[in-house]
């Protein structure tokens, strides 16, 4: 979808409930436990993004476009999202070992019914349990997978800790073990390789430039305000790129993360179906 076409679809349309988006904490305010979202830690690294009302950040809005959401976006009109040229969406399902996003069920079902290819993500909390425990919780609470052509593999959202120490108090060796345990447990539960969402800065710092996941997990890289995202050590390329946190899309009230898939729509379907 070309940027001009997307630019014509920036009307803020709510669903019939009239529920508006809640305002996430300001950059200098703490995030309450369980309330993190994809990019909450990224903004600590890359700075708070901002945009004028109604504008789309002028990044790469060509190709296969997607968004990621959580309860912070409020009620979403998924039919309008689809009409705005969005082909895929990820939504927060879980965090840590006990939090489930309050909007997950509505978003997961609504996006599917509107014809989007969708998936779920887990916000990692490596300081509260081991990776296997959190992978099991995720798989049991929205992170499952089925070969229906509409369900993408789950995402491990592992980024700068918005609650405290950047690397959650783990050494690079401990972090590698945590991620590997999450990966192995998720694959055992779903048969799929978990997608990893991260930033180059966080990954290189907190895993010690680890290359151990490069041939196993598709990479979802977060790098805002650039035309050429930096990727972590060892990964050959990115599969999804989160290029802004201040995009606008018809059907969503306020800013929403915008993403691009690295390939054609047919390749996106192949990722959903786990086919070559």
């Amino acid at each position: 979808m070309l940027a001009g076409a997307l630019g014509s679809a920036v009307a803020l349309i709510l669903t019939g409930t009239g529920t508006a988006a809640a305002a996430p904490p300001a950059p200098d305010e703490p995030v309450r436990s369980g309330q993190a979202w994809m990019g909450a830690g990224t903004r600590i690294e890359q700075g708070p993004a901002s945009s004028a009302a109604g504008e789309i950040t002028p990044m790469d809005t060509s190709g296969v476009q997607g968004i990621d959401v959580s309860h912070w976006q409020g009620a979403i009109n998924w039919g309008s999202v689809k009409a705005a040229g969005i082909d895929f969406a990820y939504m927060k399902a879980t965090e840590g070992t006990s939090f489930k996003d309050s909007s997950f069920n509505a978003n997961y079902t609504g996006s599917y019914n509107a014809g989007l290819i969708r998936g779920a993500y887990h916000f990692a909390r490596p300081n509260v349990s081991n990776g296997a425990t959190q992978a099991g919780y995720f798989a049991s609470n929205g992170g499952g997978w089925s070969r229906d052509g509409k369900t993408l593999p789950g995402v491990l959202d592992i980024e700068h800790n918005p609650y405290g120490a950047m690397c959650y108090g783990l050494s690079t060796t401990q972090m590698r073990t945590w991620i590997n345990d999450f990966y192995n447990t998720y694959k055992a539960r779903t048969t799929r390789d978990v997608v990893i969402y991260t930033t180059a800065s966080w990954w290189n710092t907190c895993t010690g430039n680890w290359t151990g996941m490069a041939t196993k997990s598709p990479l979802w890289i977060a790098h805002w305000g650039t035309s050429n995202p930096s990727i972590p050590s060892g990964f050959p390329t990115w599969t999804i790129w989160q290029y802004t946190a201040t995009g606008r899309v018809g059907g969503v009230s306020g800013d929403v993360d915008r993403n691009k898939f690295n390939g054609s729509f047919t390749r996106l379907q192949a990722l959903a179906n786990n086919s070559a």
Side-chain angles (χ1 to χ4, degrees):
M1 176 65 71
L2 297 176
L6 285 168
S8 67
V10 296
L12 306 182
I13 305 170
L14 297 178
T15 63
T17 63
T19 303
D28 58 348
E29 294 178 349
V31 178
R32 291 185 292 116
S33 183
Q35 299 297 301
W37 65 95
M38 183 175 280
T42 300
R43 69 177 182 169
I44 297 174
E45 290 185 26
Q46 299 184 15
S50 62
S51 68
E55 293 184 353
I56 295 177
T57 304
M59 290 294 99
D60 193 349
T61 54
S62 64
V64 179
Q65 291 287 307
I67 61 174
D68 59 85
V69 299
S70 69
H71 72 280
W72 291 114
Q73 274 69 49
I76 296 173
N77 186 320
W78 285 103
S80 294
V81 171
K82 179 65 174 175
I86 301 301
D87 290 314
F88 70 97
Y90 269 101
M91 52 278 312
K92 182 181 178 182
T94 52
E95 177 177 334
T97 60
S98 59
F99 293 97
K100 184 171 180 179
D101 191 86
S102 58
S103 293
F104 174 73
N105 290 337
N107 286 334
Y108 202 64
T109 302
S111 57
Y112 181 94
N113 290 339
L116 281 81
I117 300 177
R118 59 24 166 171
Y121 76 82
H122 173 80
F123 195 95
R125 297 285 299 279
N127 57 323
V128 302
S129 79
N130 59 43
T133 298
Q134 291 191 37
Y137 180 69
F138 177 45
S140 296
N141 291 280
W145 176 79
S146 59
R147 186 178 278 110
D148 57 8
K150 292 284 196 70
T151 305
L152 291 161
V155 173
L156 170 61
D157 174 359
I158 191 156
E159 56 183 291
H160 195 121
N161 179 10
Y163 302 112
M166 177 180 182
C167 301
Y168 299 86
L170 273 63
S171 68
T172 56
T173 299
Q174 290 171 326
M175 189 63 74
R176 293 179 183 188
T177 298
W178 196 98
I179 294 169
N180 199 54
D181 287 349
F182 189 103
Y183 170 88
N184 287 333
T185 301
Y186 184 79
K187 185 157 189 177
R189 288 286 303 273
T190 68
T191 75
R192 296 303 308 268
D193 297 323
V194 72
V195 177
I196 291 177
Y197 168 96
T198 194
T199 66
S201 174
W202 186 91
W203 187 269
N204 292 340
T205 299
C206 296
T207 73
N209 298 295
W210 186 35
T211 62
M213 300 304 295
T215 61
K216 298 191 290 187
S217 287
L219 173 66
W220 185 344
I221 190 65
H223 195 173
W224 307 335
T226 181
S227 60
N228 186 27
S230 298
I231 62 175
S233 296
F235 286 91
T237 188
W238 53 270
T239 297
I240 302 172
W241 170 27
Q242 186 188 77
Y243 58 83
T244 182
T246 57
R248 292 297 180 95
V249 173
V252 183
S253 177
D255 287 325
V256 65
D257 297 338
R258 293 290 301 268
N259 302 280
K260 180 176 180 177
F261 178 74
N262 193 5
S264 65
F265 183 74
T266 299
R267 295 308 305 160
L268 179 66
Q269 292 176 311
L271 178 61
N273 283 317
N274 199 24
S275 56

